[in-house]
Amino acid sequence: MKLCVLNGSPKGNKESITMQYIYYSERLFPKHNFESINIGQILNNMKINDKRFKTIIQQIKSADGIIWCFPIYTTLVPAQLKKFIELLFEQDKNPFQDKYTICLSTSMKFYDMMAHNYMNAVCEDLGLKYVGFYSAHTFDFLEFKYRRKWYTFLDYFLNIIGEQQQITKRYLPIKDREFAYNPEMDSNFKKINNQEKKIVILTDYSNNDTNIAKMIEQFKNCFTEKIIQYNINKENIKGGCLGCLKCGLDNQCVYKDDFCQLFQNIKNSDILVYAGTIKDRFLSSQFKMYFDRCFHNGHTPSMEGMQICFLISGPLSQIANLREWIAAMVELGYANLVDIVTDEYEDSKIIDRLIRNMAKNAVNLNERDYSSPSTFYEVGGYKIFRDMIFGLPGAIFRMDYNFFKEREMFNFPTRDWKGRISRVFLSFLLKSKKIRKKFKSNLPYAMTAAFHKEMNEIDFVNELAQIKQEINV
Ligand SMILES: Cc1cc2nc3c(=O)[nH]c(=O)nc-3n(C[C@H](O)[C@H](O)[C@H](O)COP(=O)(O)O)c2cc1C
């Protein structure tokens, strides 16, 4: 059988950790032919010439099965692979139609499922028969039990191809629609004074006559002063993240371009607006390149205290994974998501009002210094980072280590001596049948006792005055 391996790692075939699984498979499945293509490295500058692209298409066409092999980058596939996927969607004839496929990734298991959800949907959109994914931890390969697991998975995949099995589908195709947004000014709308606010828009549009360009203009029209705007396509950014990890020690990127300056310019905004058009099932690969390159800032929040707004052109409500990605990305950045306005309403007046409301609310929330409480996205995410940075990777990600230490984020429960001693003491008491019985009958009250006590002690008049003073109302 001929298997075409599409390697999305910008590090190339030899230095990619993920690709080690393929070299291993070549040894264990000698009858099969694995043909690897260095997609990530070829597209490091986010470009590929026609001739090379056509050769790759021919290689894909002649394969019996496709293995997408990639590291997880910023909770998705690397920007370079995303760009390749965008180019595939531009093809008249689909080279993948009805071919069987699997996805293989390595990562620190930080939001790996988001990347696989994305790939699952994209594979189905490309007409592939998506069999499943194998998400390995970066260091799994070093243990026999995981190599055996991978062997079993690949063998299972080869059997499915051999038997030409029918495959279940998970995603509905995206329903496209034509809608031209025509913004209107509202003479009754009082423009918002933004003299003392730093408001930045980050976009990637290349045509003024698009919905997203018009949505941006409408947002800008809400304010008295000029809004700063950066267009990723117009900035001097030489390419996607190379995955070299050299930034870990000092937050310096190896690229000699303007990305880090752009990142700094955006970093201390009060309000940041991401404005882009959906391409396949995410924002564009240019936007993805921006997010990947933010990796030079390490595993620390990059939008702390900011109000984040999204303007999106495209079918966001049909892509739950992207919506979740946005919510997670904002939380992990220690920022607050004000709203996401899309052009899906197909009614310009509604979109106008939503944009104005978002502008007003962003300023309001900024003035009150509001940030929504964290959910699993942030709590779970930072626990993974914490454990990683505390271990060996902390030596490479030195800046992250210092940050976590300074903020007292190495807050392992093992260090909670009071809690641990109380647990041992309570466990000992609960060995007694009599105490256990009493404990069970008192449990609901015991859980809320501290809350009732606190509620009784609150001085509501003073507390309300203090809150109002602190949030300036
Ligand atoms: C820019 C960048 C972003 C990353 N983002 C993630 C991530 O979101 N989740 C994760 O678990 N690992 C992430 N990683 C870690 C890589 O996925 C991991 O090191 C992988 O094993 C590298 O595979 P490769 O050697 O095949 O490129 C990231 C690494 C880099 C360089």
Short mmCIF file of all heavy atoms in Angstrom, two decimals, residues 9 11 15-18 71-75 106-110 138 241 243 245 292 295, ligand 1:
data_model
loop_
_atom_site.label_atom_id
_atom_site.label_comp_id
_atom_site.label_asym_id
_atom_site.label_seq_id
_atom_site.Cartn_x
_atom_site.Cartn_y
_atom_site.Cartn_z
N SER A 9 5.24 19.65 10.26
CA SER A 9 6.21 20.27 11.18
C SER A 9 7.16 21.16 10.41
O SER A 9 7.82 20.72 9.47
CB SER A 9 7.01 19.19 11.92
OG SER A 9 8.01 19.83 12.69
N LYS A 11 9.91 21.96 11.21
CA LYS A 11 11.29 21.52 11.44
C LYS A 11 11.77 20.54 10.38
O LYS A 11 12.93 20.14 10.36
CB LYS A 11 11.39 20.88 12.83
CG LYS A 11 11.13 21.88 13.95
CD LYS A 11 11.54 21.37 15.30
CE LYS A 11 10.59 20.41 15.89
NZ LYS A 11 10.82 20.02 17.27
N GLU A 15 14.13 16.28 11.87
CA GLU A 15 14.14 16.82 13.24
C GLU A 15 12.76 16.84 13.89
O GLU A 15 12.61 17.26 15.03
CB GLU A 15 14.72 18.25 13.25
CG GLU A 15 16.10 18.39 12.63
CD GLU A 15 17.10 17.39 13.18
OE1 GLU A 15 16.95 16.99 14.35
OE2 GLU A 15 18.01 16.99 12.44
N SER A 16 11.75 16.42 13.16
CA SER A 16 10.41 16.44 13.73
C SER A 16 10.22 15.25 14.67
O SER A 16 10.48 14.09 14.29
CB SER A 16 9.38 16.38 12.60
OG SER A 16 8.16 15.88 13.09
N ILE A 17 9.73 15.54 15.86
CA ILE A 17 9.45 14.46 16.83
C ILE A 17 8.30 13.59 16.30
O ILE A 17 8.34 12.37 16.36
CB ILE A 17 9.11 15.07 18.20
CG1 ILE A 17 10.39 15.65 18.82
CG2 ILE A 17 8.46 14.04 19.13
CD1 ILE A 17 10.19 16.44 20.09
N THR A 18 7.30 14.24 15.73
CA THR A 18 6.12 13.51 15.24
C THR A 18 6.53 12.52 14.15
O THR A 18 6.02 11.40 14.09
CB THR A 18 5.07 14.50 14.68
OG1 THR A 18 5.10 15.70 15.47
CG2 THR A 18 3.69 13.92 14.72
N PRO A 71 2.80 18.67 14.49
CA PRO A 71 2.80 19.06 15.90
C PRO A 71 1.59 19.96 16.13
O PRO A 71 1.13 20.62 15.20
CB PRO A 71 4.09 19.88 16.03
CG PRO A 71 4.31 20.46 14.66
CD PRO A 71 3.70 19.51 13.67
N ILE A 72 1.08 19.99 17.34
CA ILE A 72 0.02 20.97 17.65
C ILE A 72 0.72 22.31 17.85
O ILE A 72 1.68 22.41 18.62
CB ILE A 72 -0.73 20.60 18.95
CG1 ILE A 72 -1.23 19.15 18.94
CG2 ILE A 72 -1.86 21.59 19.24
CD1 ILE A 72 -2.38 18.83 18.06
N TYR A 73 0.26 23.33 17.15
CA TYR A 73 0.79 24.68 17.32
C TYR A 73 -0.35 25.61 17.70
O TYR A 73 -1.32 25.73 16.94
CB TYR A 73 1.42 25.18 16.01
CG TYR A 73 2.90 24.89 15.85
CD1 TYR A 73 3.54 23.93 16.62
CD2 TYR A 73 3.66 25.60 14.93
CE1 TYR A 73 4.89 23.66 16.47
CE2 TYR A 73 5.01 25.34 14.77
CZ TYR A 73 5.62 24.37 15.54
OH TYR A 73 6.96 24.12 15.37
N THR A 74 -0.21 26.25 18.84
CA THR A 74 -1.23 27.18 19.33
C THR A 74 -2.63 26.58 19.16
O THR A 74 -3.51 27.17 18.56
CB THR A 74 -1.14 28.55 18.60
OG1 THR A 74 0.17 28.72 18.11
CG2 THR A 74 -1.49 29.68 19.53
N THR A 75 -2.74 25.38 19.67
CA THR A 75 -3.99 24.61 19.75
C THR A 75 -4.60 24.22 18.39
O THR A 75 -5.75 23.81 18.33
CB THR A 75 -5.08 25.36 20.57
OG1 THR A 75 -5.60 26.41 19.77
CG2 THR A 75 -4.57 25.96 21.86
N THR A 106 1.91 15.14 17.72
CA THR A 106 2.55 15.12 19.04
C THR A 106 2.37 16.51 19.63
O THR A 106 2.25 17.50 18.89
CB THR A 106 4.06 14.78 19.01
OG1 THR A 106 4.74 15.80 18.29
CG2 THR A 106 4.32 13.42 18.40
N SER A 107 2.31 16.56 20.94
CA SER A 107 2.11 17.84 21.62
C SER A 107 2.27 17.64 23.11
O SER A 107 2.49 16.51 23.57
CB SER A 107 0.69 18.36 21.35
OG SER A 107 -0.25 17.56 22.04
N MET A 108 2.11 18.73 23.85
CA MET A 108 2.12 18.62 25.31
C MET A 108 0.70 18.36 25.81
O MET A 108 0.41 18.52 26.97
CB MET A 108 2.66 19.91 25.94
CG MET A 108 4.05 20.30 25.48
SD MET A 108 5.27 18.99 25.58
CE MET A 108 5.63 18.99 27.33
N LYS A 109 -0.19 17.99 24.89
CA LYS A 109 -1.61 17.69 25.18
C LYS A 109 -2.34 18.92 25.69
O LYS A 109 -3.25 18.82 26.51
CB LYS A 109 -1.74 16.55 26.19
CG LYS A 109 -1.08 15.27 25.77
CD LYS A 109 -2.04 14.34 25.10
CE LYS A 109 -1.32 13.10 24.65
NZ LYS A 109 -2.16 11.97 24.48
N PHE A 110 -1.92 20.05 25.20
CA PHE A 110 -2.57 21.31 25.55
C PHE A 110 -3.52 21.64 24.40
O PHE A 110 -3.09 22.04 23.33
CB PHE A 110 -1.50 22.39 25.74
CG PHE A 110 -2.03 23.75 26.07
CD1 PHE A 110 -2.38 24.08 27.37
CD2 PHE A 110 -2.18 24.71 25.08
CE1 PHE A 110 -2.86 25.33 27.68
CE2 PHE A 110 -2.66 25.97 25.39
CZ PHE A 110 -3.00 26.28 26.69
N THR A 138 4.42 14.56 23.44
CA THR A 138 5.73 14.74 22.81
C THR A 138 6.71 13.61 23.15
O THR A 138 7.43 13.13 22.29
CB THR A 138 6.32 16.11 23.22
OG1 THR A 138 5.45 17.12 22.72
CG2 THR A 138 7.71 16.33 22.66
N CYS A 241 6.16 30.37 12.49
CA CYS A 241 7.08 29.94 13.56
C CYS A 241 7.83 28.69 13.09
O CYS A 241 7.25 27.79 12.49
CB CYS A 241 6.29 29.63 14.83
SG CYS A 241 7.30 28.93 16.14
N GLY A 243 9.52 26.67 15.11
CA GLY A 243 9.52 25.63 16.14
C GLY A 243 10.90 25.38 16.74
O GLY A 243 11.14 24.32 17.32
N LEU A 245 12.37 26.83 19.26
CA LEU A 245 12.33 27.00 20.73
C LEU A 245 13.44 27.89 21.28
O LEU A 245 13.62 27.97 22.49
CB LEU A 245 12.36 25.64 21.46
CG LEU A 245 11.28 24.63 21.13
CD1 LEU A 245 11.35 23.44 22.08
CD2 LEU A 245 9.89 25.22 21.18
N ASP A 292 0.83 31.83 15.98
CA ASP A 292 1.99 30.93 16.21
C ASP A 292 3.22 31.73 16.61
O ASP A 292 3.98 31.32 17.49
CB ASP A 292 2.31 30.13 14.93
CG ASP A 292 1.30 29.02 14.67
OD1 ASP A 292 0.39 28.84 15.49
OD2 ASP A 292 1.43 28.34 13.63
N PHE A 295 4.21 32.76 20.08
CA PHE A 295 4.86 31.75 20.93
C PHE A 295 6.19 32.28 21.50
O PHE A 295 6.66 31.80 22.53
CB PHE A 295 5.10 30.48 20.11
CG PHE A 295 5.62 29.32 20.91
CD1 PHE A 295 4.77 28.56 21.70
CD2 PHE A 295 6.96 28.97 20.88
CE1 PHE A 295 5.25 27.48 22.44
CE2 PHE A 295 7.45 27.89 21.61
CZ PHE A 295 6.58 27.15 22.39
C1 LIG B 1 4.73 27.66 18.14
C2 LIG B 1 4.44 26.45 18.97
C3 LIG B 1 3.17 26.28 19.46
C4 LIG B 1 2.86 25.15 20.21
N1 LIG B 1 1.59 25.02 20.67
C5 LIG B 1 1.26 23.91 21.36
C6 LIG B 1 -0.08 23.74 21.82
O1 LIG B 1 -0.97 24.57 21.60
N2 LIG B 1 -0.37 22.62 22.51
C7 LIG B 1 0.58 21.69 22.81
O2 LIG B 1 0.25 20.72 23.47
N3 LIG B 1 1.86 21.80 22.36
C8 LIG B 1 2.21 22.89 21.65
N4 LIG B 1 3.49 23.02 21.18
C9 LIG B 1 4.46 21.93 21.40
C10 LIG B 1 4.60 21.01 20.17
O3 LIG B 1 3.36 20.57 19.73
C11 LIG B 1 5.45 19.79 20.50
O4 LIG B 1 6.68 20.20 20.95
C12 LIG B 1 5.57 18.81 19.35
O5 LIG B 1 5.92 17.55 19.86
C13 LIG B 1 6.64 19.19 18.33
O6 LIG B 1 6.59 18.26 17.26
P1 LIG B 1 7.57 18.29 16.01
O7 LIG B 1 8.96 18.07 16.54
O8 LIG B 1 7.13 17.16 15.13
O9 LIG B 1 7.46 19.61 15.33
C14 LIG B 1 3.85 24.16 20.47
C15 LIG B 1 5.15 24.35 19.98
C16 LIG B 1 5.45 25.48 19.24
C17 LIG B 1 6.84 25.67 18.72
#
